[in-house]
PDB file of all heavy atoms in Angstrom:
ATOM      1  N   ALA F  87      -8.292 -14.342  11.235  1.00 98.00           N
ATOM      2  CA  ALA F  87      -8.772 -13.969  12.669  1.00 98.00           C
ATOM      3  C   ALA F  87      -8.356 -15.065  13.577  1.00 98.00           C
ATOM      4  O   ALA F  87      -7.899 -14.728  14.705  1.00 98.00           O
ATOM      5  CB  ALA F  87     -10.291 -13.890  12.622  1.00 98.00           C
ATOM      6  N   GLN F  88      -8.658 -16.380  13.150  1.00 98.00           N
ATOM      7  CA  GLN F  88      -8.208 -17.391  14.200  1.00 98.00           C
ATOM      8  C   GLN F  88      -6.590 -17.444  14.291  1.00 98.00           C
ATOM      9  O   GLN F  88      -6.279 -17.771  15.463  1.00 98.00           O
ATOM     10  CB  GLN F  88      -8.690 -18.663  13.482  1.00 98.00           C
ATOM     11  CG  GLN F  88      -8.453 -19.937  14.346  1.00 98.00           C
ATOM     12  CD  GLN F  88      -8.896 -19.824  15.823  1.00 98.00           C
ATOM     13  OE1 GLN F  88     -10.101 -19.526  16.037  1.00 98.00           O
ATOM     14  NE2 GLN F  88      -8.160 -20.009  16.795  1.00 98.00           N
ATOM     15  N   ARG F  89      -5.921 -17.263  13.250  1.00 98.00           N
ATOM     16  CA  ARG F  89      -4.514 -17.320  13.456  1.00 98.00           C
ATOM     17  C   ARG F  89      -3.998 -16.270  14.342  1.00 98.00           C
ATOM     18  O   ARG F  89      -3.030 -16.521  15.154  1.00 98.00           O
ATOM     19  CB  ARG F  89      -3.818 -17.215  11.990  1.00 98.00           C
ATOM     20  CG  ARG F  89      -2.306 -17.625  12.108  1.00 98.00           C
ATOM     21  CD  ARG F  89      -1.730 -17.906  10.724  1.00 98.00           C
ATOM     22  NE  ARG F  89      -1.696 -16.681   9.835  1.00 98.00           N
ATOM     23  CZ  ARG F  89      -1.540 -16.649   8.611  1.00 98.00           C
ATOM     24  NH1 ARG F  89      -1.170 -17.735   7.945  1.00 98.00           N
ATOM     25  NH2 ARG F  89      -1.625 -15.521   8.042  1.00 98.00           N
ATOM     26  N   MET F  90      -4.641 -15.045  14.304  1.00 98.00           N
ATOM     27  CA  MET F  90      -4.284 -13.949  15.114  1.00 98.00           C
ATOM     28  C   MET F  90      -4.503 -14.268  16.685  1.00 98.00           C
ATOM     29  O   MET F  90      -3.844 -13.930  17.527  1.00 98.00           O
ATOM     30  CB  MET F  90      -4.877 -12.646  14.733  1.00 98.00           C
ATOM     31  CG  MET F  90      -4.257 -11.458  15.476  1.00 98.00           C
ATOM     32  SD  MET F  90      -4.433  -9.977  14.424  1.00 98.00           S
ATOM     33  CE  MET F  90      -3.248  -8.882  15.188  1.00 98.00           C
ATOM     34  N   LEU F  91      -5.611 -15.010  16.885  1.00 98.00           N
ATOM     35  CA  LEU F  91      -5.954 -15.390  18.178  1.00 98.00           C
ATOM     36  C   LEU F  91      -4.935 -16.482  18.761  1.00 98.00           C
ATOM     37  O   LEU F  91      -4.395 -16.351  19.960  1.00 98.00           O
ATOM     38  CB  LEU F  91      -7.314 -16.176  18.262  1.00 98.00           C
ATOM     39  CG  LEU F  91      -8.526 -15.421  18.015  1.00 98.00           C
ATOM     40  CD1 LEU F  91      -9.760 -16.191  17.893  1.00 98.00           C
ATOM     41  CD2 LEU F  91      -8.737 -14.322  19.152  1.00 98.00           C
ATOM     42  N   ASP F  92      -4.382 -17.378  17.859  1.00 98.00           N
ATOM     43  CA  ASP F  92      -3.379 -18.269  18.127  1.00 98.00           C
ATOM     44  C   ASP F  92      -1.965 -17.558  18.422  1.00 98.00           C
ATOM     45  O   ASP F  92      -1.311 -17.788  19.347  1.00 98.00           O
ATOM     46  CB  ASP F  92      -3.052 -19.260  17.080  1.00 98.00           C
ATOM     47  CG  ASP F  92      -4.309 -20.068  16.745  1.00 98.00           C
ATOM     48  OD1 ASP F  92      -5.212 -20.152  17.662  1.00 98.00           O
ATOM     49  OD2 ASP F  92      -4.392 -20.671  15.577  1.00 98.00           O
ATOM     50  N   SER F  93      -1.700 -16.531  17.642  1.00 98.00           N
ATOM     51  CA  SER F  93      -0.560 -15.728  17.859  1.00 98.00           C
ATOM     52  C   SER F  93      -0.536 -15.005  19.226  1.00 98.00           C
ATOM     53  O   SER F  93       0.365 -14.954  19.916  1.00 98.00           O
ATOM     54  CB  SER F  93      -0.357 -14.657  16.718  1.00 98.00           C
ATOM     55  OG  SER F  93      -0.143 -15.299  15.430  1.00 98.00           O
ATOM     56  N   ALA F  94      -1.762 -14.451  19.457  1.00 98.00           N
ATOM     57  CA  ALA F  94      -1.971 -13.592  20.725  1.00 98.00           C
ATOM     58  C   ALA F  94      -1.651 -14.555  21.856  1.00 98.00           C
ATOM     59  O   ALA F  94      -1.062 -14.125  22.930  1.00 98.00           O
ATOM     60  CB  ALA F  94      -3.256 -13.019  20.692  1.00 98.00           C
ATOM     61  N   ALA F  95      -2.333 -15.683  21.887  1.00 98.00           N
ATOM     62  CA  ALA F  95      -2.163 -16.744  22.986  1.00 98.00           C
ATOM     63  C   ALA F  95      -0.719 -16.968  23.246  1.00 98.00           C
ATOM     64  O   ALA F  95      -0.213 -16.969  24.452  1.00 98.00           O
ATOM     65  CB  ALA F  95      -3.002 -17.880  22.782  1.00 98.00           C
ATOM     66  N   ARG F  96       0.045 -17.159  22.339  1.00 98.00           N
ATOM     67  CA  ARG F  96       1.443 -17.519  22.284  1.00 98.00           C
ATOM     68  C   ARG F  96       2.316 -16.381  22.980  1.00 98.00           C
ATOM     69  O   ARG F  96       3.404 -16.579  23.562  1.00 98.00           O
ATOM     70  CB  ARG F  96       2.101 -18.020  20.915  1.00 98.00           C
ATOM     71  CG  ARG F  96       3.487 -18.522  21.026  1.00 98.00           C
ATOM     72  CD  ARG F  96       3.701 -19.729  21.930  1.00 98.00           C
ATOM     73  NE  ARG F  96       5.079 -20.236  21.877  1.00 98.00           N
ATOM     74  CZ  ARG F  96       6.087 -19.725  22.610  1.00 98.00           C
ATOM     75  NH1 ARG F  96       5.914 -18.670  23.158  1.00 98.00           N
ATOM     76  NH2 ARG F  96       7.236 -20.139  22.441  1.00 98.00           N
ATOM     77  N   LEU F  97       1.944 -15.120  22.666  1.00 98.00           N
ATOM     78  CA  LEU F  97       2.735 -13.950  23.219  1.00 98.00           C
ATOM     79  C   LEU F  97       2.087 -13.248  24.412  1.00 98.00           C
ATOM     80  O   LEU F  97       2.401 -12.138  24.709  1.00 98.00           O
ATOM     81  CB  LEU F  97       2.957 -13.040  22.093  1.00 98.00           C
ATOM     82  CG  LEU F  97       3.902 -13.268  21.016  1.00 98.00           C
ATOM     83  CD1 LEU F  97       4.425 -12.039  20.290  1.00 98.00           C
ATOM     84  CD2 LEU F  97       5.223 -14.086  21.401  1.00 98.00           C
ATOM     85  N   GLU F  98       1.130 -14.067  25.135  1.00 98.00           N
ATOM     86  CA  GLU F  98       0.343 -13.472  26.160  1.00 98.00           C
ATOM     87  C   GLU F  98      -0.092 -12.138  25.963  1.00 98.00           C
ATOM     88  O   GLU F  98      -0.117 -11.351  26.792  1.00 98.00           O
ATOM     89  CB  GLU F  98       1.478 -13.499  27.352  1.00 98.00           C
ATOM     90  CG  GLU F  98       1.911 -14.807  27.782  1.00 98.00           C
ATOM     91  CD  GLU F  98       0.856 -15.682  28.547  1.00 98.00           C
ATOM     92  OE1 GLU F  98      -0.134 -15.092  28.956  1.00 98.00           O
ATOM     93  OE2 GLU F  98       1.015 -16.998  28.457  1.00 98.00           O
ATOM     94  N   MET F  99      -0.931 -12.167  24.895  1.00 98.00           N
ATOM     95  CA  MET F  99      -1.648 -10.934  24.517  1.00 98.00           C
ATOM     96  C   MET F  99      -3.159 -11.162  24.545  1.00 98.00           C
ATOM     97  O   MET F  99      -3.559 -12.397  24.459  1.00 98.00           O
ATOM     98  CB  MET F  99      -1.216 -10.414  23.123  1.00 98.00           C
ATOM     99  CG  MET F  99       0.210 -10.229  23.020  1.00 98.00           C
ATOM    100  SD  MET F  99       0.726 -10.027  21.274  1.00 98.00           S
ATOM    101  CE  MET F  99       0.477  -8.240  20.949  1.00 98.00           C
ATOM    102  N   PRO F 100      -3.949 -10.103  24.713  1.00 98.00           N
ATOM    103  CA  PRO F 100      -5.407 -10.473  24.792  1.00 98.00           C
ATOM    104  C   PRO F 100      -5.950 -10.764  23.515  1.00 98.00           C
ATOM    105  O   PRO F 100      -5.452 -10.684  22.424  1.00 98.00           O
ATOM    106  CB  PRO F 100      -5.965  -9.056  25.210  1.00 98.00           C
ATOM    107  CG  PRO F 100      -4.995  -8.021  24.662  1.00 98.00           C
ATOM    108  CD  PRO F 100      -3.639  -8.755  24.860  1.00 98.00           C
TER     109      PRO F 100
END
Side-chain angles (χ1 to χ4, degrees):
Q88 180 56 50
R89 194 167 62 190
M90 196 150 191
L91 292 172
D92 298 340
S93 298
R96 181 63 176 80
L97 288 201
E98 294 293 337
M99 300 167 87

